[in-house]
Amino acid sequence: MKYALAFLCCLWAFHTRAQNLELNQLKSFIARPALKVTDSLKKAGWALHPELSGEKALQMYQTWSFGKHKAEKAKAMAWFRIQADHGVINQLYYQAPGITHFNVLLKEIVAAGTEKKEEQNIEDKKISTYYVSPDFIFQTIVGEHSYTVMVMANKAP
C-alpha cells in the first residue's frame, strides 16, 4: 500500500511539474531544433493541436496544451506555442497554468537584469509589457484569467 501511495505521489508531482515550465527551460528552447523541443514536450505529456498549427514555406508554428482545467474540462491547464524558421525555434509563447506560476516567471525575468521597455493596455482588458536583456526579449500578457510569457532572442543566431 505504501508503495502505491508513493508511486501516486511521484506521478502527481511529475504531472504538476510538466506544465510548470521554468524560465531557464523556456530560454533554452530558443535557437534549438524544433524537433528536439517537440519530442521533449510529447514526453512530458503535452498534446499537439494540429488544427492550431501549420507551416508556410520555411516557417512553422505549433500549439500544444497540457492537462485539463479543474473547473472547465474543455479547457487546458496550460498552453505552449512555438514558432520556428528553418526548423529552429525563434519565438515561443507559454500560457502559465495560473497567476502563482506566472509571478514566479515574472520575478525570474526581472531578476535576470532585464529592462522594462513598454507597458500598454490592449483589447479585452489585457496588459502587455516588454522586458529586454542583452540576450532575450520577453513579453508578458496578462488578462482576466490568462497569464502568458513570450520569449525570443535579442540577437540573431
Side-chain angles (χ1 to χ4, degrees), residues 112-131:
T114 60
E115 181 181 345
K116 188 175 179 179
K117 287 290 188 179
E118 179 183 346
E119 182 173 293
Q120 62 182 346
N121 290 321
I122 52 179
E123 75 278 344
D124 298 329
K125 300 179 185 176
K126 292 181 183 174
I127 297 174
S128 170
T129 308
Y130 284 92
Y131 300 86

Side-chain angles (χ1 to χ4, degrees), residues 31-36 58-60 83-90:
R32 285 190 57 206
L35 187 57
K36 286 187 177 186
L58 297 174
Q59 296 179 325
M60 178 266 297
Q83 293 178 216
D85 285 331
H86 304 281
V88 176
I89 295 177
N90 60 359

Side-chain angles (χ1 to χ4, degrees), residues 56-69:
K56 185 173 182 180
L58 297 174
Q59 296 179 325
M60 178 266 297
Y61 60 94
Q62 290 182 334
T63 303
W64 298 77
S65 68
F66 188 88
K68 300 287 182 201
H69 193 272

Side-chain angles (χ1 to χ4, degrees), residues 25-26 35 39 53-54 66 71 79-80 87 91 98-99 105 127 140:
Q25 285 177 290
L26 297 175
L35 187 57
D39 284 346
S53 304
F66 188 88
W79 289 92
F80 191 77
Q91 188 174 15
I99 187 136
L105 291 170
I127 297 174
T140 60

Side-chain angles (χ1 to χ4, degrees), residues 13 17-18 40 68 81 83 103 111 119 121 126 135 137:
R17 176 119 172 94
S40 67
K68 300 287 182 201
R81 182 178 177 99
Q83 293 178 216
N103 284 335
E119 182 173 293
N121 290 321
K126 292 181 183 174
D135 297 322
I137 297 171

